[in-house]
Amino acid sequence: MTLKAGSILEGTVVNITSFGAFVDVEGKTGLVHISEVSDTYVKNIRDYLKEKDKVKVKVISIDDNGKISLSIKQAGLDKKSVRPMEIDWQKEKTKQNQGNFEDRLSKFLKDSEERFQDIKKHQDAKGKGYKKSSNY
């Protein structure tokens, strides 16, 4: 089958990055962006794909330079085809049972405060450099 926009083909995952997966289709490599892996939000692509996985992909586009954009979610697959994150329930239970309620509550409050401080720092850093000048 010829590579053209709209084609649905089978490919092999050859490399995984933080922003997507490179898939070999008919001897050419295309990119499945992380936003095109699943219908749900994908934080870590390695929770869904691993190298050498066989996947069905849809060719979204091929630009003038030969870059191929692919999509797994547009290939019309059922949700069982893409692996969801696996959870070790035994490990989760042991996490929950560690310490008494007060210890867990104080840890939660400490973690929440640290996250809040990180968010505040990030927002403060974003605002720098965009101050209104009064020289007009």
Side-chain angles (χ1 to χ4, degrees):
M1 184 178 261
T2 309
L3 278 178
K4 61 181 180 179
S7 300
I8 296 179
L9 308 163
E10 186 171 297
T12 306
V13 177
V14 292
N15 190 18
I16 296 177
T17 65
S18 60
F19 56 84
F22 289 95
V23 177
D24 180 58
V25 181
E26 295 186 355
K28 297 189 179 193
T29 303
L31 173 68
V32 177
H33 189 266
I34 193 167
S35 65
E36 293 293 331
V37 171
S38 175
D39 288 332
T40 59
Y41 176 74
V42 177
K43 183 174 183 176
N44 183 353
I45 195 167
R46 285 178 171 80
D47 293 338
Y48 292 81
L49 297 171
K50 63 182 181 182
E51 289 184 15
K52 298 182 183 168
D53 276 352
K54 297 282 186 197
V55 291
K56 289 231 185 264
V57 293
K58 179 178 180 180
V59 179
I60 300 173
S61 66
I62 302 174
D63 72 5
D64 294 335
N65 297 328
K67 291 183 182 177
I68 305 168
S69 296
L70 304 170
S71 173
I72 293 173
K73 75 178 181 182
Q74 291 183 32
L77 298 176
D78 59 339
K79 295 193 184 341
K80 294 177 188 172
S81 305
V82 178
R83 269 189 297 288
M85 180 172 66
E86 293 179 17
I87 297 173
D88 184 357
W89 292 107
Q90 293 294 49
K91 190 175 180 182
E92 291 296 318
K93 283 182 182 178
T94 57
K95 279 185 187 176
Q96 286 180 342
N97 294 332
Q98 290 175 347
N100 61 21
F101 177 76
E102 287 82 14
D103 292 341
R104 289 187 285 156
L105 182 62
S106 65
K107 182 180 179 330
F108 170 78
L109 291 171
K110 180 182 173 222
D111 291 346
S112 296
E113 182 61 29
E114 288 173 1
R115 289 185 186 130
F116 178 74
Q117 292 301 325
D118 287 344
I119 291 169
K120 192 172 179 183
K121 257 191 251 178
H122 180 70
Q123 288 175 338
D124 290 344
K126 267 183 144 179
K128 290 183 180 176
Y130 293 102
K131 294 182 179 173
K132 199 172 189 179
S133 177
S134 61
N135 296 337
Y136 292 104

